Amino acid sequence: MLRTLGRKVFGAIALSLFAMPALADQVSHFTLDNGMEVVVIEDHRAPVVTQMVWYKIGRADEAPGHSGIAHFFEHLMFKGTKEVGPNEFSAIVEKQGGDDNAFTTEDYTAFFQRVAADRLDLMMKLEADRMVNLNMSEEDVKTEREVILEERGQRVDSDPGSLLQEQMGAAQFLNHPYGIPVIGWRQEIAALTRDDANAFYKAYYAPNNAILVVAGDVEPAKVLAMAKEHYGPLPPSDKIKPRVRPQEPPQLAERRLVLRDERVAQPYVARSYLAPERNSGDQKEAAALTVLAELLGGSGTTSVLTRALQFDSHVAVYSSAYYTDVSVDPDSFGLVVVPADGVSLADAEAAMDKVIDQFLKDGPKPEDFARIKTQIRASEIYSRDSAGGLARTYGAALATGLTVQDVQDWPTVLQSVTPEDVMAAAHKVLNRNNAVTGWLATPEAAQ
């Protein structure tokens, strides 16, 4: 089974942040005696259910020298317990007609199953079992370590775009652990041991560091009863502490890098700016940045960068903007421009900067701003089509310090954003002294 690795991508970035739940979502929120949060999202349109368990442990929470252990341990969670044999977890889910997977990001690790609603009790039993009863042999650790080293080779070391992303992250974050890739540095992955994995497991895989999200054809009272039966008896960990991380010092000058690689098929310019995160009870600035990203590069036909660079001047064949708003700490706002044939990276960057400078002077056109608001309202409806999508929305929010109320308030906060809010956020964030600019180039193109 494919294990997915959460990372930022400088590719075709769709703002899934607009796929937020509407205020009418039927959501119940509980906390078990052992500290485990339980969120139940009712959706009775089909007899299916998604169970997700989110652990508030990600790449940025790892101990120094152990980069990649959160992602490494995600893999080890499928190695079996006394009740479930090695790699049998997914086979059991599949026999029930369901599917499962897992993913790791900078801020959390999550596991999910999607099955018929009458199989939820079994899914809880399986997930609770591996929260405390995991078996990890030396051979398991060695095998999975090699799998991850191979994964790094395929996804990062063999991909110039991923290498540029990794180098730009390291340049953006000099002190904060967001500068270290989720998959980890190769030499540190190779040094991870069974003792490291066991210590990590006992410290962080515990009910008081976890959020259970159940979405689908369920009743909250019955879900709570199942959760008390399967997760309630599990002991909390005494190793869970507040997530206090090293913070980034003020950036005083733009940082630039060029990655030249003969494997590059399509050169491009990428830029990331340090940007504030979305905070519980204070989401207005994050909402303004979300709208800003959509205005600048959210559409392949109508965004500011697209119109100026692709249609008006034909300087680029692709442009995009994105904002990372679901994070524990300040993260990034980014731009990407892929130049047209015959256009140098220098000219493409100059054209991008000209468009940004003009936007900072003129602001958004009223018709563009109105269009974004219409898209947001439509997204409130579309987002409810997927119970699994809602489970991810709530889980990611709670795992990064937001609340159920914050998630439900988000559509209203987005609707309340004004052009003045967007321009205030733009002037604050789109500061070259706060940015890292990267060129991905063939060896001859970057001379």
Side-chain angles (χ1 to χ4, degrees), residues 10 164-174 248 251 253-258 269-274 322 331-336 349 352-353 429 431-439:
F10 290 136
L164 177 67
Q165 174 190 330
E166 191 173 81
Q167 293 298 304
M168 289 182 67
Q172 184 87 78
F173 297 99
L174 300 183
E248 200 61 19
Q251 184 174 335
E254 181 183 10
R255 299 160 191 164
R256 301 184 62 87
L257 57 93
V258 178
V269 177
R271 181 178 295 151
S272 62
Y273 304 83
L274 286 174
Y322 64 91
D331 206 316
S332 59
F333 185 103
L335 306 171
V336 181
E349 182 183 347
M352 177 183 75
D353 286 332
V429 170
N431 178 349
R432 292 285 288 275
N433 287 336
N434 214 31
V436 174
T437 300
W439 288 7

mmCIF file of all heavy atoms in Angstrom, residues 10 164-174 248 251 253-258 269-274 322 331-336 349 352-353 429 431-439:
data_model
loop_
_atom_site.group_PDB
_atom_site.id
_atom_site.type_symbol
_atom_site.label_atom_id
_atom_site.label_comp_id
_atom_site.label_asym_id
_atom_site.label_seq_id
_atom_site.Cartn_x
_atom_site.Cartn_y
_atom_site.Cartn_z
ATOM 1 N N PHE A 10 5.626 22.740 -5.233
ATOM 2 C CA PHE A 10 5.643 23.920 -6.077
ATOM 3 C C PHE A 10 4.989 23.639 -7.427
ATOM 4 O O PHE A 10 5.365 24.186 -8.435
ATOM 5 C CB PHE A 10 7.087 24.373 -6.321
ATOM 6 C CG PHE A 10 7.758 24.949 -5.124
ATOM 7 C CD1 PHE A 10 9.063 24.592 -4.821
ATOM 8 C CD2 PHE A 10 7.096 25.824 -4.295
ATOM 9 C CE1 PHE A 10 9.684 25.124 -3.721
ATOM 10 C CE2 PHE A 10 7.709 26.354 -3.202
ATOM 11 C CZ PHE A 10 9.011 26.004 -2.903
ATOM 12 N N LEU A 164 14.878 21.290 -5.062
ATOM 13 C CA LEU A 164 14.775 22.745 -4.923
ATOM 14 C C LEU A 164 13.872 23.099 -3.750
ATOM 15 O O LEU A 164 14.205 23.977 -2.935
ATOM 16 C CB LEU A 164 14.226 23.365 -6.207
ATOM 17 C CG LEU A 164 14.011 24.886 -6.137
ATOM 18 C CD1 LEU A 164 15.341 25.613 -6.020
ATOM 19 C CD2 LEU A 164 13.228 25.388 -7.350
ATOM 20 N N GLN A 165 12.739 22.448 -3.649
ATOM 21 C CA GLN A 165 11.820 22.688 -2.537
ATOM 22 C C GLN A 165 12.530 22.468 -1.203
ATOM 23 O O GLN A 165 12.387 23.278 -0.270
ATOM 24 C CB GLN A 165 10.641 21.744 -2.665
ATOM 25 C CG GLN A 165 9.677 21.777 -1.496
ATOM 26 C CD GLN A 165 8.677 20.644 -1.582
ATOM 27 O OE1 GLN A 165 8.328 20.195 -2.670
ATOM 28 N NE2 GLN A 165 8.225 20.182 -0.443
ATOM 29 N N GLU A 166 13.280 21.388 -1.104
ATOM 30 C CA GLU A 166 13.995 21.067 0.125
ATOM 31 C C GLU A 166 15.026 22.132 0.462
ATOM 32 O O GLU A 166 15.145 22.577 1.612
ATOM 33 C CB GLU A 166 14.661 19.698 -0.045
ATOM 34 C CG GLU A 166 15.218 19.107 1.211
ATOM 35 C CD GLU A 166 15.708 17.685 0.966
ATOM 36 O OE1 GLU A 166 16.835 17.514 0.451
ATOM 37 O OE2 GLU A 166 14.970 16.738 1.277
ATOM 38 N N GLN A 167 15.774 22.570 -0.543
ATOM 39 C CA GLN A 167 16.810 23.586 -0.321
ATOM 40 C C GLN A 167 16.191 24.938 0.037
ATOM 41 O O GLN A 167 16.716 25.666 0.881
ATOM 42 C CB GLN A 167 17.676 23.719 -1.573
ATOM 43 C CG GLN A 167 18.529 22.497 -1.877
ATOM 44 C CD GLN A 167 19.537 22.210 -0.765
ATOM 45 O OE1 GLN A 167 20.343 23.056 -0.409
ATOM 46 N NE2 GLN A 167 19.457 21.012 -0.207
ATOM 47 N N MET A 168 15.071 25.277 -0.596
ATOM 48 C CA MET A 168 14.408 26.534 -0.274
ATOM 49 C C MET A 168 13.843 26.516 1.142
ATOM 50 O O MET A 168 13.888 27.524 1.864
ATOM 51 C CB MET A 168 13.307 26.831 -1.291
ATOM 52 C CG MET A 168 13.830 27.209 -2.664
ATOM 53 S SD MET A 168 12.511 27.621 -3.844
ATOM 54 C CE MET A 168 11.868 29.139 -3.111
ATOM 55 N N GLY A 169 13.310 25.377 1.564
ATOM 56 C CA GLY A 169 12.830 25.271 2.939
ATOM 57 C C GLY A 169 13.945 25.459 3.947
ATOM 58 O O GLY A 169 13.786 26.144 4.965
ATOM 59 N N ALA A 170 15.090 24.861 3.663
ATOM 60 C CA ALA A 170 16.236 25.003 4.561
ATOM 61 C C ALA A 170 16.729 26.444 4.610
ATOM 62 O O ALA A 170 17.190 26.925 5.650
ATOM 63 C CB ALA A 170 17.360 24.068 4.113
ATOM 64 N N ALA A 171 16.623 27.148 3.471
ATOM 65 C CA ALA A 171 17.030 28.550 3.435
ATOM 66 C C ALA A 171 16.004 29.452 4.104
ATOM 67 O O ALA A 171 16.352 30.468 4.718
ATOM 68 C CB ALA A 171 17.242 28.991 1.984
ATOM 69 N N GLN A 172 14.727 29.094 3.993
ATOM 70 C CA GLN A 172 13.660 29.917 4.580
ATOM 71 C C GLN A 172 13.690 29.866 6.101
ATOM 72 O O GLN A 172 13.518 30.885 6.781
ATOM 73 C CB GLN A 172 12.304 29.435 4.089
ATOM 74 C CG GLN A 172 11.127 30.278 4.572
ATOM 75 C CD GLN A 172 10.833 31.442 3.670
ATOM 76 O OE1 GLN A 172 10.238 31.289 2.634
ATOM 77 N NE2 GLN A 172 11.276 32.626 4.064
ATOM 78 N N PHE A 173 13.907 28.664 6.646
ATOM 79 C CA PHE A 173 13.836 28.473 8.091
ATOM 80 C C PHE A 173 15.232 28.144 8.630
ATOM 81 O O PHE A 173 15.678 27.005 8.597
ATOM 82 C CB PHE A 173 12.851 27.362 8.430
ATOM 83 C CG PHE A 173 11.438 27.673 8.026
ATOM 84 C CD1 PHE A 173 10.910 27.163 6.844
ATOM 85 C CD2 PHE A 173 10.649 28.492 8.811
ATOM 86 C CE1 PHE A 173 9.613 27.461 6.470
ATOM 87 C CE2 PHE A 173 9.343 28.795 8.439
ATOM 88 C CZ PHE A 173 8.825 28.285 7.265
ATOM 89 N N LEU A 174 15.899 29.151 9.146
ATOM 90 C CA LEU A 174 17.247 28.954 9.662
ATOM 91 C C LEU A 174 17.244 28.311 11.045
ATOM 92 O O LEU A 174 18.200 27.631 11.421
ATOM 93 C CB LEU A 174 17.977 30.300 9.737
ATOM 94 C CG LEU A 174 18.162 31.061 8.426
ATOM 95 C CD1 LEU A 174 18.971 32.331 8.667
ATOM 96 C CD2 LEU A 174 18.842 30.183 7.381
ATOM 97 N N GLU A 248 11.714 31.308 14.464
ATOM 98 C CA GLU A 248 12.560 31.912 13.444
ATOM 99 C C GLU A 248 12.930 33.343 13.838
ATOM 100 O O GLU A 248 12.069 34.129 14.242
ATOM 101 C CB GLU A 248 11.799 31.911 12.114
ATOM 102 C CG GLU A 248 12.647 32.050 10.888
ATOM 103 C CD GLU A 248 13.663 30.940 10.706
ATOM 104 O OE1 GLU A 248 13.520 29.853 11.312
ATOM 105 O OE2 GLU A 248 14.605 31.186 9.954
ATOM 106 N N GLN A 251 13.994 37.831 9.508
ATOM 107 C CA GLN A 251 14.777 37.728 8.278
ATOM 108 C C GLN A 251 15.057 39.143 7.782
ATOM 109 O O GLN A 251 14.128 39.924 7.581
ATOM 110 C CB GLN A 251 14.024 36.921 7.222
ATOM 111 C CG GLN A 251 14.827 36.694 5.943
ATOM 112 C CD GLN A 251 14.119 35.772 4.962
ATOM 113 O OE1 GLN A 251 13.303 34.959 5.344
ATOM 114 N NE2 GLN A 251 14.434 35.922 3.682
ATOM 115 N N ALA A 253 17.182 39.960 4.996
ATOM 116 C CA ALA A 253 17.554 40.112 3.588
ATOM 117 C C ALA A 253 17.044 38.923 2.798
ATOM 118 O O ALA A 253 16.919 37.811 3.323
ATOM 119 C CB ALA A 253 19.071 40.218 3.440
ATOM 120 N N GLU A 254 16.744 39.162 1.529
ATOM 121 C CA GLU A 254 16.292 38.084 0.658
ATOM 122 C C GLU A 254 17.374 37.019 0.531
ATOM 123 O O GLU A 254 18.575 37.319 0.485
ATOM 124 C CB GLU A 254 15.951 38.628 -0.729
ATOM 125 C CG GLU A 254 15.445 37.559 -1.688
ATOM 126 C CD GLU A 254 15.180 38.085 -3.081
ATOM 127 O OE1 GLU A 254 15.561 39.243 -3.366
ATOM 128 O OE2 GLU A 254 14.594 37.342 -3.892
ATOM 129 N N ARG A 255 16.938 35.786 0.463
ATOM 130 C CA ARG A 255 17.858 34.671 0.239
ATOM 131 C C ARG A 255 17.556 34.086 -1.131
ATOM 132 O O ARG A 255 16.399 33.913 -1.490
ATOM 133 C CB ARG A 255 17.686 33.613 1.331
ATOM 134 C CG ARG A 255 17.996 34.164 2.728
ATOM 135 C CD ARG A 255 17.410 33.351 3.850
ATOM 136 N NE ARG A 255 17.532 34.081 5.109
ATOM 137 C CZ ARG A 255 16.858 33.792 6.215
ATOM 138 N NH1 ARG A 255 15.992 32.783 6.215
ATOM 139 N NH2 ARG A 255 17.017 34.503 7.306
ATOM 140 N N ARG A 256 18.611 33.778 -1.884
ATOM 141 C CA ARG A 256 18.454 33.309 -3.253
ATOM 142 C C ARG A 256 19.291 32.062 -3.482
ATOM 143 O O ARG A 256 20.370 31.915 -2.883
ATOM 144 C CB ARG A 256 18.877 34.390 -4.260
ATOM 145 C CG ARG A 256 18.112 35.698 -4.148
ATOM 146 C CD ARG A 256 18.530 36.663 -5.250
ATOM 147 N NE ARG A 256 18.222 36.122 -6.577
ATOM 148 C CZ ARG A 256 17.054 36.281 -7.183
ATOM 149 N NH1 ARG A 256 16.080 36.960 -6.591
ATOM 150 N NH2 ARG A 256 16.839 35.763 -8.380
ATOM 151 N N LEU A 257 18.800 31.193 -4.343
ATOM 152 C CA LEU A 257 19.585 30.022 -4.710
ATOM 153 C C LEU A 257 19.196 29.572 -6.106
ATOM 154 O O LEU A 257 18.092 29.837 -6.581
ATOM 155 C CB LEU A 257 19.399 28.884 -3.697
ATOM 156 C CG LEU A 257 17.990 28.357 -3.413
ATOM 157 C CD1 LEU A 257 17.685 27.174 -4.321
ATOM 158 C CD2 LEU A 257 17.856 27.939 -1.967
ATOM 159 N N VAL A 258 20.129 28.913 -6.759
ATOM 160 C CA VAL A 258 19.903 28.333 -8.079
ATOM 161 C C VAL A 258 20.274 26.865 -8.003
ATOM 162 O O VAL A 258 21.380 26.522 -7.573
ATOM 163 C CB VAL A 258 20.757 29.027 -9.161
ATOM 164 C CG1 VAL A 258 20.537 28.352 -10.518
ATOM 165 C CG2 VAL A 258 20.440 30.519 -9.231
ATOM 166 N N VAL A 269 10.725 29.533 -11.797
ATOM 167 C CA VAL A 269 11.077 30.426 -10.698
ATOM 168 C C VAL A 269 10.096 30.181 -9.564
ATOM 169 O O VAL A 269 8.881 30.113 -9.790
ATOM 170 C CB VAL A 269 11.000 31.907 -11.125
ATOM 171 C CG1 VAL A 269 11.304 32.819 -9.936
ATOM 172 C CG2 VAL A 269 11.945 32.187 -12.272
ATOM 173 N N ALA A 270 10.593 30.032 -8.362
ATOM 174 C CA ALA A 270 9.730 29.864 -7.192
ATOM 175 C C ALA A 270 10.159 30.864 -6.118
ATOM 176 O O ALA A 270 11.352 31.169 -5.984
ATOM 177 C CB ALA A 270 9.833 28.443 -6.650
ATOM 178 N N ARG A 271 9.193 31.363 -5.409
ATOM 179 C CA ARG A 271 9.514 32.255 -4.285
ATOM 180 C C ARG A 271 8.589 31.939 -3.121
ATOM 181 O O ARG A 271 7.387 31.731 -3.306
ATOM 182 C CB ARG A 271 9.365 33.721 -4.672
ATOM 183 C CG ARG A 271 9.728 34.673 -3.502
ATOM 184 C CD ARG A 271 9.626 36.127 -3.890
ATOM 185 N NE ARG A 271 10.607 36.441 -4.907
ATOM 186 C CZ ARG A 271 10.439 37.388 -5.825
ATOM 187 N NH1 ARG A 271 9.324 38.084 -5.860
ATOM 188 N NH2 ARG A 271 11.377 37.625 -6.708
ATOM 189 N N SER A 272 9.142 31.908 -1.930
ATOM 190 C CA SER A 272 8.338 31.729 -0.726
ATOM 191 C C SER A 272 8.639 32.856 0.247
ATOM 192 O O SER A 272 9.782 33.303 0.377
ATOM 193 C CB SER A 272 8.615 30.370 -0.070
ATOM 194 O OG SER A 272 9.967 30.267 0.335
ATOM 195 N N TYR A 273 7.600 33.337 0.898
ATOM 196 C CA TYR A 273 7.702 34.383 1.911
ATOM 197 C C TYR A 273 7.276 33.812 3.254
ATOM 198 O O TYR A 273 6.307 33.041 3.327
ATOM 199 C CB TYR A 273 6.770 35.551 1.600
ATOM 200 C CG TYR A 273 6.931 36.220 0.261
ATOM 201 C CD1 TYR A 273 6.332 35.691 -0.881
ATOM 202 C CD2 TYR A 273 7.641 37.420 0.135
ATOM 203 C CE1 TYR A 273 6.442 36.322 -2.112
ATOM 204 C CE2 TYR A 273 7.756 38.061 -1.092
ATOM 205 C CZ TYR A 273 7.162 37.504 -2.209
ATOM 206 O OH TYR A 273 7.259 38.137 -3.431
ATOM 207 N N LEU A 274 7.920 34.198 4.321
ATOM 208 C CA LEU A 274 7.425 33.850 5.644
ATOM 209 C C LEU A 274 6.048 34.478 5.831
ATOM 210 O O LEU A 274 5.825 35.641 5.464
ATOM 211 C CB LEU A 274 8.372 34.355 6.727
ATOM 212 C CG LEU A 274 9.686 33.598 6.893
ATOM 213 C CD1 LEU A 274 10.579 34.316 7.894
ATOM 214 C CD2 LEU A 274 9.437 32.168 7.353
ATOM 215 N N TYR A 322 0.154 30.216 -3.555
ATOM 216 C CA TYR A 322 -0.408 29.353 -2.519
ATOM 217 C C TYR A 322 -0.082 29.920 -1.152
ATOM 218 O O TYR A 322 0.868 30.691 -0.973
ATOM 219 C CB TYR A 322 0.138 27.920 -2.624
ATOM 220 C CG TYR A 322 1.625 27.824 -2.388
ATOM 221 C CD1 TYR A 322 2.139 27.592 -1.119
ATOM 222 C CD2 TYR A 322 2.529 27.967 -3.438
ATOM 223 C CE1 TYR A 322 3.505 27.508 -0.894
ATOM 224 C CE2 TYR A 322 3.895 27.880 -3.225
ATOM 225 C CZ TYR A 322 4.375 27.659 -1.954
ATOM 226 O OH TYR A 322 5.728 27.591 -1.731
ATOM 227 N N ASP A 331 4.334 29.850 8.631
ATOM 228 C CA ASP A 331 4.838 29.022 7.550
ATOM 229 C C ASP A 331 5.115 29.898 6.330
ATOM 230 O O ASP A 331 5.932 30.810 6.418
ATOM 231 C CB ASP A 331 3.869 27.886 7.250
ATOM 232 C CG ASP A 331 4.555 26.680 6.625
ATOM 233 O OD1 ASP A 331 5.385 26.881 5.727
ATOM 234 O OD2 ASP A 331 4.248 25.541 7.021
ATOM 235 N N SER A 332 4.448 29.654 5.202
ATOM 236 C CA SER A 332 4.876 30.354 3.995
ATOM 237 C C SER A 332 3.731 30.712 3.060
ATOM 238 O O SER A 332 2.669 30.095 3.082
ATOM 239 C CB SER A 332 5.901 29.510 3.224
ATOM 240 O OG SER A 332 5.339 28.259 2.859
ATOM 241 N N PHE A 333 3.993 31.725 2.246
ATOM 242 C CA PHE A 333 3.154 32.144 1.130
ATOM 243 C C PHE A 333 4.051 32.062 -0.096
ATOM 244 O O PHE A 333 5.177 32.565 -0.072
ATOM 245 C CB PHE A 333 2.668 33.577 1.344
ATOM 246 C CG PHE A 333 1.694 34.073 0.302
ATOM 247 C CD1 PHE A 333 0.342 34.136 0.587
ATOM 248 C CD2 PHE A 333 2.123 34.479 -0.957
ATOM 249 C CE1 PHE A 333 -0.575 34.593 -0.363
ATOM 250 C CE2 PHE A 333 1.226 34.929 -1.913
ATOM 251 C CZ PHE A 333 -0.127 34.992 -1.612
ATOM 252 N N GLY A 334 3.588 31.422 -1.172
ATOM 253 C CA GLY A 334 4.498 31.164 -2.286
ATOM 254 C C GLY A 334 3.959 31.531 -3.642
ATOM 255 O O GLY A 334 2.752 31.635 -3.860
ATOM 256 N N LEU A 335 4.900 31.745 -4.564
ATOM 257 C CA LEU A 335 4.613 32.037 -5.961
ATOM 258 C C LEU A 335 5.442 31.113 -6.836
ATOM 259 O O LEU A 335 6.574 30.770 -6.481
ATOM 260 C CB LEU A 335 4.962 33.491 -6.302
ATOM 261 C CG LEU A 335 4.354 34.591 -5.440
ATOM 262 C CD1 LEU A 335 5.000 35.926 -5.787
ATOM 263 C CD2 LEU A 335 2.848 34.653 -5.623
ATOM 264 N N VAL A 336 4.901 30.745 -7.985
ATOM 265 C CA VAL A 336 5.610 29.919 -8.959
ATOM 266 C C VAL A 336 5.320 30.459 -10.353
ATOM 267 O O VAL A 336 4.165 30.768 -10.670
ATOM 268 C CB VAL A 336 5.177 28.441 -8.899
ATOM 269 C CG1 VAL A 336 5.952 27.613 -9.918
ATOM 270 C CG2 VAL A 336 5.356 27.868 -7.509
ATOM 271 N N GLU A 349 11.275 36.130 -13.773
ATOM 272 C CA GLU A 349 11.209 36.678 -12.416
ATOM 273 C C GLU A 349 10.938 38.176 -12.442
ATOM 274 O O GLU A 349 10.130 38.689 -11.655
ATOM 275 C CB GLU A 349 12.509 36.400 -11.664
ATOM 276 C CG GLU A 349 12.462 36.906 -10.227
ATOM 277 C CD GLU A 349 13.764 36.708 -9.468
ATOM 278 O OE1 GLU A 349 14.643 35.968 -9.959
ATOM 279 O OE2 GLU A 349 13.897 37.310 -8.381
ATOM 280 N N MET A 352 7.316 38.683 -13.132
ATOM 281 C CA MET A 352 6.528 38.357 -11.942
ATOM 282 C C MET A 352 6.587 39.500 -10.934
ATOM 283 O O MET A 352 5.559 39.933 -10.392
ATOM 284 C CB MET A 352 7.058 37.070 -11.305
ATOM 285 C CG MET A 352 6.358 36.669 -10.012
ATOM 286 S SD MET A 352 7.067 35.179 -9.243
ATOM 287 C CE MET A 352 8.599 35.879 -8.539
ATOM 288 N N ASP A 353 7.775 40.039 -10.711
ATOM 289 C CA ASP A 353 7.926 41.136 -9.754
ATOM 290 C C ASP A 353 7.177 42.383 -10.203
ATOM 291 O O ASP A 353 6.599 43.111 -9.384
ATOM 292 C CB ASP A 353 9.404 41.458 -9.551
ATOM 293 C CG ASP A 353 10.114 40.410 -8.713
ATOM 294 O OD1 ASP A 353 9.442 39.776 -7.881
ATOM 295 O OD2 ASP A 353 11.330 40.229 -8.889
ATOM 296 N N VAL A 429 3.289 40.722 3.954
ATOM 297 C CA VAL A 429 3.937 39.452 3.627
ATOM 298 C C VAL A 429 4.822 39.539 2.385
ATOM 299 O O VAL A 429 5.919 38.960 2.354
ATOM 300 C CB VAL A 429 2.877 38.349 3.459
ATOM 301 C CG1 VAL A 429 3.493 37.074 2.888
ATOM 302 C CG2 VAL A 429 2.212 38.055 4.799
ATOM 303 N N ASN A 431 7.194 40.923 1.023
ATOM 304 C CA ASN A 431 8.385 41.737 1.279
ATOM 305 C C ASN A 431 9.606 40.922 0.877
ATOM 306 O O ASN A 431 9.853 39.850 1.436
ATOM 307 C CB ASN A 431 8.418 42.109 2.764
ATOM 308 C CG ASN A 431 9.643 42.912 3.151
ATOM 309 O OD1 ASN A 431 10.589 43.053 2.386
ATOM 310 N ND2 ASN A 431 9.633 43.446 4.362
ATOM 311 N N ARG A 432 10.360 41.398 -0.078
ATOM 312 C CA ARG A 432 11.503 40.626 -0.577
ATOM 313 C C ARG A 432 12.527 40.321 0.522
ATOM 314 O O ARG A 432 13.255 39.320 0.442
ATOM 315 C CB ARG A 432 12.180 41.382 -1.728
ATOM 316 C CG ARG A 432 11.329 41.470 -2.999
ATOM 317 C CD ARG A 432 11.314 40.144 -3.737
ATOM 318 N NE ARG A 432 12.581 39.871 -4.354
ATOM 319 C CZ ARG A 432 12.961 40.305 -5.549
ATOM 320 N NH1 ARG A 432 12.126 41.062 -6.268
ATOM 321 N NH2 ARG A 432 14.142 39.993 -6.041
ATOM 322 N N ASN A 433 12.610 41.149 1.539
ATOM 323 C CA ASN A 433 13.522 40.865 2.646
ATOM 324 C C ASN A 433 13.035 39.690 3.495
ATOM 325 O O ASN A 433 13.748 39.218 4.378
ATOM 326 C CB ASN A 433 13.683 42.094 3.540
ATOM 327 C CG ASN A 433 14.510 43.172 2.882
ATOM 328 O OD1 ASN A 433 15.316 42.897 1.997
ATOM 329 N ND2 ASN A 433 14.315 44.413 3.303
ATOM 330 N N ASN A 434 11.827 39.241 3.232
ATOM 331 C CA ASN A 434 11.217 38.140 3.977
ATOM 332 C C ASN A 434 11.088 36.894 3.112
ATOM 333 O O ASN A 434 10.313 35.999 3.429
ATOM 334 C CB ASN A 434 9.818 38.590 4.433
ATOM 335 C CG ASN A 434 9.436 38.005 5.774
ATOM 336 O OD1 ASN A 434 10.276 37.756 6.616
ATOM 337 N ND2 ASN A 434 8.151 37.779 5.964
ATOM 338 N N ALA A 435 11.853 36.856 2.007
ATOM 339 C CA ALA A 435 11.595 35.834 0.987
ATOM 340 C C ALA A 435 12.832 35.005 0.658
ATOM 341 O O ALA A 435 13.974 35.409 0.898
ATOM 342 C CB ALA A 435 11.093 36.503 -0.293
ATOM 343 N N VAL A 436 12.540 33.841 0.084
ATOM 344 C CA VAL A 436 13.573 33.007 -0.543
ATOM 345 C C VAL A 436 13.147 32.830 -1.999
ATOM 346 O O VAL A 436 12.016 32.434 -2.283
ATOM 347 C CB VAL A 436 13.682 31.627 0.131
ATOM 348 C CG1 VAL A 436 14.653 30.733 -0.639
ATOM 349 C CG2 VAL A 436 14.122 31.772 1.573
ATOM 350 N N THR A 437 14.047 33.152 -2.920
ATOM 351 C CA THR A 437 13.773 32.991 -4.345
ATOM 352 C C THR A 437 14.666 31.892 -4.897
ATOM 353 O O THR A 437 15.878 31.890 -4.668
ATOM 354 C CB THR A 437 14.039 34.302 -5.109
ATOM 355 O OG1 THR A 437 13.188 35.322 -4.569
ATOM 356 C CG2 THR A 437 13.735 34.131 -6.598
ATOM 357 N N GLY A 438 14.054 30.942 -5.582
ATOM 358 C CA GLY A 438 14.809 29.823 -6.133
ATOM 359 C C GLY A 438 14.593 29.674 -7.626
ATOM 360 O O GLY A 438 13.483 29.892 -8.123
ATOM 361 N N TRP A 439 15.649 29.341 -8.323
ATOM 362 C CA TRP A 439 15.574 29.011 -9.743
ATOM 363 C C TRP A 439 15.865 27.530 -9.906
ATOM 364 O O TRP A 439 16.862 27.015 -9.373
ATOM 365 C CB TRP A 439 16.611 29.784 -10.554
ATOM 366 C CG TRP A 439 16.341 31.242 -10.736
ATOM 367 C CD1 TRP A 439 15.365 31.992 -10.164
ATOM 368 C CD2 TRP A 439 17.108 32.129 -11.562
ATOM 369 N NE1 TRP A 439 15.455 33.296 -10.565
ATOM 370 C CE2 TRP A 439 16.522 33.411 -11.438
ATOM 371 C CE3 TRP A 439 18.219 31.976 -12.382
ATOM 372 C CZ2 TRP A 439 17.029 34.526 -12.106
ATOM 373 C CZ3 TRP A 439 18.717 33.080 -13.053
ATOM 374 C CH2 TRP A 439 18.117 34.350 -12.916
#
